[in-house]
Amino acid sequence: TLSGYEGSELLVARLLIESGAQVPYVGTACPKTPWSADDAAWLEAKGVTVKFRASLEDDLAAVDAIKPDLAIGTTPVVQHAKERAIPSLYFTNLISARPLMGPAGAGSLAQVVNAAINGAEKMNKMKAFFEGVGAGDTAGVWSGSPNLRPDFRAAHQKKIDKAARVAKAQEMI
C-alpha cells in the first residue's frame, strides 16, 4: 500500500508498478485534478484502488484489509503497520526525498523497497519480543502493576458523554 500527502503518490505508485511491484491501494490527501487524471486512470486500469482526499482512517483500513508485504506512508501509517509486523517505509523521508526519474531513481527505489520487504522476518521477531509492551495500560515502565482507576475513567467518560449530548442539542437549535 502507498499513501501520503505530498502529491507524488500516484507517480511513485506508477513507477513501482512499472518496476514490477503490485500496488493494490494508493491514498493521497490531494484532490482529484485534471493533472492527476491520466495517472489515476492508468493505475485503476492496473487494478489499483486510488483514493483522493484519503483520510488516515482510509489508509489504515487499507493496511488492515490488504495486509501488504510493505506499507509506504505517513508516520501513523508506518507505526500502524509496524505494530502488525508489516515492513514499512516513510513516504516523505525514504521515497519522495530521492530522485525518482532515470535508472538511478528507479534502481534506488527498488533497492530500498526490496530491503524493507526482505526484513519481514525481523519484524516478526520484534513483534514477538515486544508483544504487550507499550499498549494501553501497560505503556511505559512500571515497577509494579499500573493503577488502573476505573472509577476515574467512568467519571471522565460521563463528562465526555455529557459534552457530546450538549453539542448535539446545540446543533438542533
Side-chain angles (χ1 to χ4, degrees), residues 4-153:
Y5 54 83
E6 297 180 7
S8 60
E9 296 81 19
L10 277 61
L11 170 68
V12 170
R14 187 169 175 162
L15 181 59
L16 287 169
I17 292 169
E18 288 175 342
S19 297
Q22 293 179 348
V23 182
Y25 171 84
V26 176
T28 179
C30 297
K32 190 172 191 173
T33 67
W35 299 278
S36 63
D38 289 342
D39 285 328
W42 188 92
L43 290 167
E44 289 166 349
K46 300 287 183 190
V48 179
T49 298
V50 178
K51 176 76 174 165
F52 290 96
R53 291 287 192 208
S55 67
L56 174 59
E57 291 77 14
D58 293 326
D59 296 340
L60 299 181
V63 170
D64 288 341
I66 295 166
K67 296 176 182 46
D69 293 332
L70 177 67
I72 300 172
T74 60
T75 300
V77 171
V78 168
Q79 178 182 356
H80 186 78
K82 286 182 177 179
E83 288 173 355
R84 286 150 183 75
I86 297 171
S88 50
L89 296 170
Y90 295 100
F91 183 79
T92 302
N93 301 19
L94 297 171
I95 305 299
S96 72
R98 64 183 59 247
L100 299 174
M101 296 298 126
S108 72
L109 186 59
Q111 190 175 25
V112 74
V113 165
N114 287 329
I117 291 171
N118 290 335
E121 185 55 35
K122 285 188 229 175
M123 297 297 296
N124 289 324
K125 288 179 182 177
M126 288 192 319
K127 183 175 194 262
F129 181 79
F130 288 107
E131 194 69 43
V133 176
D137 294 326
T138 63
V141 179
W142 296 88
S143 57
S145 296
N147 184 4
L148 300 181
R149 297 287 313 269
D151 55 328
F152 174 79
R153 288 184 180 178

